[in-house]
Amino acid sequence: TVGAVNVKTSAGVSIKGVCSNYLARIQPNEDFVSCGIRTSSFRGPPKLSSPVIMVGAGTGLAPMMGFLADRALELESCVDTDKAGKCLLYFGCRNTDDHIYNSTITKWNKSNVLEPNIAFSRKPSTPKTYVQDLIEQDSKNVCQFLLQPETCYYICGDARVADFCFEACVKALRAHGNMSRVAAVQHIKQMRAQNRWQYDLWGIIVHFNEAKYEFKVKKEAGAKHWLKRFT
């Protein structure tokens, strides 16, 4: 899933994304694209019984659709669907025109594959809402999910959104899990250590101290590299 980038600068200059518009122009069964597949640690839940929280803004929904398609197939062949963990989806887009996979999500909602929660940031006559706002509004339910020992949390999209959602989850644990901020952050870190808190993001996250450290190390390494070229 790729969103074609077409924007205007403050000076009125139109800018088109090179890669996204190239892909948008490709014609099925006519054009061919050379591509490669990289291994990834961003994997769906290991068991159908695991409760799941999925967060995706815009095209960040793409990998979730793969996880959900797999979940839908498992549920179809499952004898006892009552043992399946519930799945919460928080998806954000600008308006109904940007609501990708709408029909598929609606179908899966009816068959209990997921429980969708949709945030519209530019929908006419509707308050501006983002995925982190949905998590805060549903904080009690989110807290109950996060406290379960097998819950898996997935987020894909912009790193800033991931930071906002992290804070919304911390607030949920503090408000309904009787935790301090330190305890709430430690709980999420434990989920990450158990591979139950996963993210696929573009940008730099700042909600984990190690992310800040890694970013600092990379910047220092880059600075040393350039300094050597001039000394």
Side-chain angles (χ1 to χ4, degrees):
T1 305
V2 178
V5 178
N6 295 285
V7 297
K8 273 192 176 182
T9 67
S10 56
V13 178
S14 295
I15 296 178
K16 291 189 175 184
V18 177
C19 183
S20 62
N21 280 276
Y22 163 69
L23 293 173
R25 290 193 301 269
I26 291 174
Q27 297 300 312
N29 302 318
E30 293 182 14
D31 299 316
F32 296 90
V33 179
S34 297
C35 62
I37 299 175
R38 295 184 179 181
T39 57
S40 172
S41 60
F42 195 66
R43 301 286 190 216
K47 296 186 291 185
L48 185 61
S49 59
S50 299
V52 184
I53 297 176
M54 296 183 180
V55 186
T59 54
L61 179 63
M64 310 305 176
M65 294 302 292
F67 297 162
L68 290 167
D70 186 59
R71 175 181 171 84
L73 287 172
E74 282 195 79
L75 283 169
E76 284 181 11
S77 59
C78 183
V79 177
D80 189 0
T81 56
D82 290 336
K83 292 184 179 180
K86 291 185 177 180
C87 177
L88 299 177
L89 172 67
Y90 298 96
F91 169 60
C93 55
R94 290 177 295 183
N95 49 51
T96 52
D97 292 335
D98 286 342
H99 191 177
I100 55 177
Y101 302 113
N102 186 14
S103 59
T104 304
I105 290 173
T106 300
K107 181 183 72 174
W108 284 341
N109 181 30
K110 291 178 180 177
S111 56
N112 296 318
V113 174
L114 55 78
E115 180 184 316
N117 300 272
I118 314 300
F120 296 106
S121 61
R122 300 292 188 276
K123 187 178 179 180
S125 304
T126 302
K128 185 180 293 186
T129 308
Y130 298 99
V131 284
Q132 62 266 27
D133 299 321
L134 293 180
I135 292 175
E136 288 195 21
Q137 293 167 15
D138 199 24
S139 60
K140 186 175 182 178
N141 197 23
V142 169
C143 178
Q144 291 173 349
F145 266 67
L146 292 176
L147 291 177
Q148 295 182 57
E150 292 188 348
T151 293
C152 296
Y153 173 97
Y154 301 91
I155 184 166
C156 179
D158 188 276
R160 293 172 299 175
V161 175
D163 286 330
F164 291 139
C165 291
F166 172 87
E167 289 299 329
C169 289
V170 169
K171 288 180 182 178
L173 288 169
R174 295 186 66 186
H176 304 287
N178 194 29
M179 291 185 181
S180 65
R181 177 175 176 82
V182 172
V185 172
Q186 283 301 121
H187 179 80
I188 293 175
K189 281 189 173 183
Q190 182 64 23
M191 289 182 66
R192 187 185 178 199
Q194 295 170 347
N195 208 31
R196 295 190 296 115
W197 183 282
Q198 296 190 41
Y199 45 76
D200 185 4
L201 310 168
W202 45 90
I204 303 297
I205 57 170
V206 297
H207 56 260
F208 286 117
N209 289 334
E210 54 263 39
K212 296 179 184 178
Y213 176 74
E214 290 170 5
F215 182 53
K216 180 183 177 183
V217 169
K218 287 180 181 178
K219 285 190 70 175
E220 289 177 350
K224 289 178 181 178
H225 172 74
W226 282 100
L227 185 61
K228 286 180 180 178
R229 298 183 65 177
F230 296 101
T231 55

